[in-house]
Amino acid sequence: MASDSIHPSPVSYELRGKVLLVTIDNPPVNALGVDVRRGLAAAIEHADATDAVEAVLLVGAGRNFIAGADIREFGKPPQPPALPDVCNRIEACRKPVIAAIHGAALGGGLEVALGAHYRLAVPGAKLGLPEVQLGLLPGAGGTQRTPRLIGAEAALSLILSGRHASAQEALKLGLVDRVGASDDVLAEGLAYAQELLAAHAPVRRTRDAQGLADRESAQAAIAAARTDTAKKSRGLFSPMKIVDCVEAALNAASNNAFDDGLRFERKQFLECLDSPQRAGLVHAFFAEREVQKAPETKSATPRAINTIGVIGGGTMGAGIAVAALDAGLPVTMIERDDASLARGRAHVEKVYDGLIAKGRMTADAKAQVLARYTGSTSYDALAQTDLVIEAVFEEMSVKQAVFAELDRVCKPGAVLATNTSYLDIDAIAASVSRPQDVVGLHFFSPANIMKLLEVVVPKQVTADVVATAFELAKKMRKVPVRAGVCDGFIGNRLLAVYRAAADHVMEDGASPYQIDKAVRDFGFPMGPYQVIDLAGGDIGWASRKRRAATRDPNARYVQIADRLCERSWFGQKTGRGFYLYPEGARTGTPDPEVVAIIAAERERAGIKPRSFTDEEIIRRYMAAMINEGANVVHEKIALRPLDVDVTLLYGYGFPRYRGGPMKYADMVGLANVLADIREFAKEDPLFWRPSPLIVELVERGANFASLDQSA
Ligand code: 3H9
């Protein structure tokens, strides 16, 4: 075995007969860090310089071929050799180079394979160019070689979606030459290399492939992708550049000028690399992995979860039941009577019937899933259940009554979870004889679809119960965020504050329609008033009435939403709310009567309306969100700023390319956010109180990211 550096290189090579076996071993995923790039280039030099070598086989050690460029190097000074040069060097090798792919060959990993002359994938492999999801484009020849190999249309579809193709699909597309019979990548790769040698297979460079020979159809595919991208990728920087790069590939192919295409790609790639969207998306990538590593997941072993109980068959309970069924778990649902139980089951079935109607599930598959579902009106059916999630009415006495029953019937060691969105879980836990087993699992509606799961950690819970909650999240493919107990936990606590900021702006002069549009233009899929109309205005109204008694009488309270609710204008379901929904329409139209109600409310409150630019609206909306996010971190409700980011990204539609509110704050500059808050405080010092954490960080010249790293 050889390696070309003083430190052991992550790339090693050894001769196996006439084949130089080059192994990339850079855990955890063989990312193409500088040492890997150096090692690969050195291995190819060695192959060219050594007579005994007749072919080269590239394989990855561990679970993957290569997961791509090392994302951690982005934003740092570049170190040679650059990946495009490495791919060119592989392609220029005078002896056939074969890539044998298992696990992930993604991004730069696939580009390395495209630099090789032959490609084999084993059945479990997944291949793709997911750079777009990081705000990038394939920057090591991927936009040039892929269309030459598989045609413009297929290449654009792969690169613009960032999806992973299976080995079989890759074979069909022509991305690989062969799918091995087994998952033994080394044996399959060596056998293929021997076969190619025996057949005197020539060096075959992807840059010479003819996938763009039909110029007309390539042009049509590019034009179609351009139109589609303009429509679908609103606000995103890299997708249109991808289309431009594929067009450059076509022009270069027509002029026999491959290197021109590469140069064009490089320029576009570097622009993407410098973009704030890349910074936001890479932050999101790491943050969603960091949140999984709560302290309890390291210190404790999760309890075994083989059966789930769900209390309550309403929308939330049914959604949770479906999430558990989809995770392969048997579910027992408890309701108070047969009629409610039947309704709960109908809610569950409706989800699967919807899938059948869309052709995404067969009736047989539904029957198989429902074979794991049982319902009962007796809590005794939960005697052997490992984990129970309560999703009943949001009222402390109702919840405590349920927990008393669970305390009575559940086996020792069963995890008792509540799906409350704001009630005091410490108080729920204190009402049972086993508070150490009580945890919060705050799902978001629809619970079988929304990825966020707040794992709410009350005072007395044991670490293994928290670890169990994280394990359940993994089984359900949710993104878990650890939260402490407070009113609203992380997400709803921020929501209450930034919605209040929007209400203030509305009462001061902006229309709900302008606010919604400004928020959508910022990148959210919907504005706050559209969301209220969709969810039902009555929900917020009920909680406002409940809190009326404890509200600070000096705090500003905007009554506009109450005026609409008093008219039973609860949004979409009643045909009108902030918007009008004539004849069941799903998108609302502005309502002049609402505008008149707002005007009357301004008058009642003695407010002389003024105008706001969209930018002013967003500054207030974001400052409110960031300030409360900082409070939540300061009070240790959230472990780190990145936990706040992931909560907003996965539960509240925050635009992923901005990385989350805390990342956004770092990008606009925390000192600027603080200056805004202080400015707004001149009008309303009670609402705009700078978070002590922001003040402290600005004084130290630090940012939120410094807390992410030190946690
Ligand atoms: C690119 O290639 C640009 C080029 O076109 C041009 C260059 C010039 N780098 O996800 P997991 C870490 S852009 C560094 O939990 P899984 C990850 O953070 C790149 N680190 O495992 C985690 O670390 P930790 C295009 C990386 O089995 C650990 O590995 N490629 C990278 O569920 C395990 O990851 C992509 O976008 C990386 N590239 O999934 C692929 N990838 O243990 C991104 C992962 O400290 N990666 N890590 O938390 C993935 O999609 C998944 O990681 C993968 C494995 C499917 C490979």
Side-chain angles (χ1 to χ4, degrees):
M1 209 168 291
S3 105
D4 263 43
S5 85
I6 307 156
H7 307 293
S9 167
V11 180
S12 60
Y13 48 85
E14 61 180 306
L15 206 53
R16 292 281 185 103
K18 297 172 180 169
V19 178
L20 188 73
L21 171 65
V22 179
T23 306
I24 300 120
D25 187 2
N26 186 29
V29 292
N30 297 335
L32 291 154
V34 61
D35 290 336
V36 174
R37 299 198 299 275
R38 280 185 190 143
L40 276 171
I44 299 297
E45 290 300 332
H46 177 81
D48 266 341
T50 309
D51 288 345
V53 175
E54 292 187 16
V56 180
L57 178 66
L58 304 179
V59 295
R63 286 169 46 209
N64 300 293
F65 178 65
I66 302 171
D70 187 340
I71 301 170
R72 290 179 208 274
E73 283 184 359
F74 294 161
K76 296 188 185 150
Q79 286 180 279
L83 190 57
D85 296 337
V86 174
C87 294
N88 287 341
R89 182 65 192 92
I90 294 170
E91 193 175 49
C93 185
R94 285 180 283 110
K95 300 166 183 176
V97 182
I98 301 121
I101 297 167
H102 76 301
L106 298 175
L110 182 54
E111 290 173 301
V112 164
L114 293 174
H117 307 129
Y118 296 90
R119 283 158 294 278
L120 169 140
V122 299
K126 46 187 179 178
L127 299 88
L129 294 163
E131 286 88 343
V132 70
Q133 287 160 6
L134 299 172
L136 292 169
L137 50 84
T143 66
Q144 305 300 299
R145 290 193 177 91
T146 316
R148 278 179 168 79
L149 195 60
I150 65 174
E153 188 180 348
L156 282 162
S157 146
L158 203 64
I159 305 173
L160 286 169
S161 69
R163 73 192 160 82
H164 300 171
S166 67
Q168 276 306 333
E169 189 195 349
L171 181 67
K172 225 166 93 197
L173 290 172
L175 209 50
V176 299
D177 303 291
R178 170 176 296 197
V179 174
S182 77
D183 274 315
D184 184 343
V185 71
L186 186 55
E188 294 288 342
L190 282 170
Y192 186 39
Q194 301 297 353
E195 205 183 303
L196 289 168
L197 277 179
H200 302 289
V203 158
R204 192 191 59 170
R205 300 193 167 109
T206 309
R207 65 171 68 202
D208 301 325
Q210 291 303 307
L212 291 172
D214 180 351
R215 202 178 149 78
E216 245 169 61
S217 73
Q219 267 169 338
I222 292 165
R226 200 176 287 289
T227 313
D228 203 46
T229 301
K231 244 190 290 175
K232 286 196 196 141
S233 302
R234 196 174 63 97
L236 293 177
F237 185 66
S238 78
M240 207 50 108
K241 289 189 169 293
I242 288 170
V243 182
D244 292 343
C245 284
V246 173
E247 187 166 55
L250 180 61
N251 293 336
S254 309
N255 303 325
N256 219 354
F258 182 79
D259 291 335
D260 286 354
L262 274 188
R263 268 190 293 278
F264 182 83
E265 177 196 80
R266 184 74 183 157
K267 185 166 175 294
Q268 308 306 313
F269 176 79
L270 291 176
E271 282 179 24
C272 293
L273 198 61
D274 277 344
S275 74
Q277 294 196 355
R278 191 275 304 160
L281 288 163
V282 168
H283 173 75
F285 177 88
F286 286 119
E288 74 193 24
R289 284 166 175 76
E290 278 312 305
V291 290
Q292 329 256 350
K293 302 173 191 161
E296 292 86 352
T297 61
K298 295 175 198 159
S299 68
T301 310
R303 297 181 187 174
I305 298 297
N306 296 311
T307 46
I308 297 277
V310 177
I311 319 292
T315 311
M316 208 62 205
I320 295 170
V322 171
L325 289 168
D326 288 349
L329 292 159
V331 173
T332 304
M333 182 182 280
I334 304 293
E335 260 293 4
R336 58 177 170 257
D337 52 42
D338 287 337
S340 308
L341 201 55
R343 210 167 38 240
R345 185 180 173 103
H347 280 143
V348 169
E349 289 207 36
K350 198 172 152 201
V351 173
Y352 293 112
D353 289 339
L355 293 179
I356 292 173
K358 283 186 199 139
R360 285 168 47 197
M361 189 179 218
T362 62
D364 269 1
K366 174 187 162 189
Q368 273 174 29
V369 171
L370 287 179
R372 283 186 275 113
Y373 176 90
T374 45
S376 176
T377 51
S378 162
Y379 280 88
D380 295 323
L382 298 177
Q384 292 310 314
T385 304
D386 296 321
L387 184 146
V388 183
I389 306 166
E390 154 292 301
V392 299
F393 188 64
E394 281 283 277
E395 173 77 55
M396 183 57 87
S397 58
V398 180
K399 303 268 190 201
Q400 284 179 339
V402 168
F403 270 79
E405 285 298 292
L406 297 179
D407 204 7
R408 181 180 65 78
V409 301
C410 289
K411 66 181 180 187
V415 174
L416 310 182
T418 170
N419 177 54
T420 182
S421 21
Y422 62 87
L423 292 176
D424 181 355
I425 303 181
D426 284 320
I428 297 176
S431 74
V432 293
S433 70
R434 37 174 135 173
Q436 73 280 2
D437 296 331
V438 176
V439 72
L441 288 178
H442 184 209
F443 289 84
F444 289 72
S445 189
N448 55 314
I449 296 191
M450 293 290 285
K451 285 266 180 215
L452 180 64
L453 179 63
E454 280 181 318
V455 175
V456 191
V457 180
K459 281 193 200 83
Q460 298 189 61
V461 69
T462 53
D464 63 339
V465 169
V466 179
T468 310
F470 275 81
E471 193 60 27
L472 178 70
K474 197 185 282 175
K475 278 194 180 160
M476 289 182 168
R477 294 165 174 264
K478 301 278 180 213
V479 179
V481 174
R482 187 189 189 282
V485 175
C486 71
D487 190 348
F489 315 129
I490 301 176
N492 282 347
R493 186 164 149 185
L494 265 70
L495 175 74
V497 177
Y498 65 80
R499 264 204 189 150
D503 279 353
H504 297 173
V505 170
M506 174 165 65
E507 199 176 46
D508 285 340
S511 77
Y513 316 119
Q514 187 197 354
I515 296 170
D516 278 349
K517 181 179 173 301
V519 168
R520 277 198 312 273
D521 287 349
F522 181 81
F524 281 85
M526 281 197 238
Y529 300 104
Q530 291 175 292
V531 174
I532 292 172
D533 273 6
L534 181 68
D538 47 335
I539 299 171
W541 193 33
S543 85
R544 288 196 297 279
K545 283 195 275 196
R546 251 194 321 266
R547 286 156 201 233
T550 51
R551 192 177 300 127
D552 179 349
N554 297 317
R556 180 171 179 185
Y557 179 71
V558 176
Q559 300 180 28
I560 295 166
D562 294 348
R563 294 296 91 80
L564 305 190
C565 290
E566 285 154 11
R567 291 168 167 81
S568 299
W569 296 356
F570 296 142
Q572 274 192 33
K573 62 183 173 188
T574 56
R576 67 193 302 179
F578 282 95
Y579 292 80
L580 284 169
Y581 302 87
E583 287 147 39
R586 295 183 66 184
T587 16
T589 43
D591 183 350
E593 282 188 62
V594 168
V595 174
I597 292 169
I598 295 171
E601 278 302 302
R602 287 179 188 140
E603 219 174 289
R604 187 194 54 73
I607 291 168
K608 195 166 159 287
R610 60 191 160 111
S611 65
F612 288 84
T613 63
D614 290 1
E615 196 220 328
E616 283 169 332
I617 293 172
I618 291 300
R619 271 170 59 184
R620 284 167 189 265
Y621 201 66
M622 286 311 304
M625 198 184 298
I626 294 161
N627 200 47
E628 196 61 11
N631 284 333
V632 151
V633 175
H634 184 63
E635 292 167 25
K636 301 195 168 30
I637 298 298
L639 286 175
R640 299 147 297 192
L642 68 82
D643 297 82
V644 177
D645 284 338
V646 172
T647 304
L648 270 288
L649 290 175
Y650 280 96
Y652 298 82
F654 194 96
R656 187 176 169 89
Y657 63 84
R658 294 189 190 274
M662 313 310 262
K663 176 69 183 174
Y664 175 79
D666 277 356
M667 289 203 277
V668 298
L670 220 41
N672 294 325
V673 176
L674 181 59
D676 273 353
I677 294 170
R678 288 190 167 141
E679 176 69 28
F680 306 149
K682 288 180 189 157
E683 296 160 18
D684 185 351
L686 194 57
F687 183 77
W688 293 104
R689 277 177 297 189
S691 167
L693 181 61
I694 298 187
V695 174
E696 183 215 311
L697 288 171
V698 170
E699 275 169 8
R700 285 201 283 126
N703 59 10
F704 287 133
S706 64
L707 302 179
D708 287 342
Q709 279 140 23
S710 65

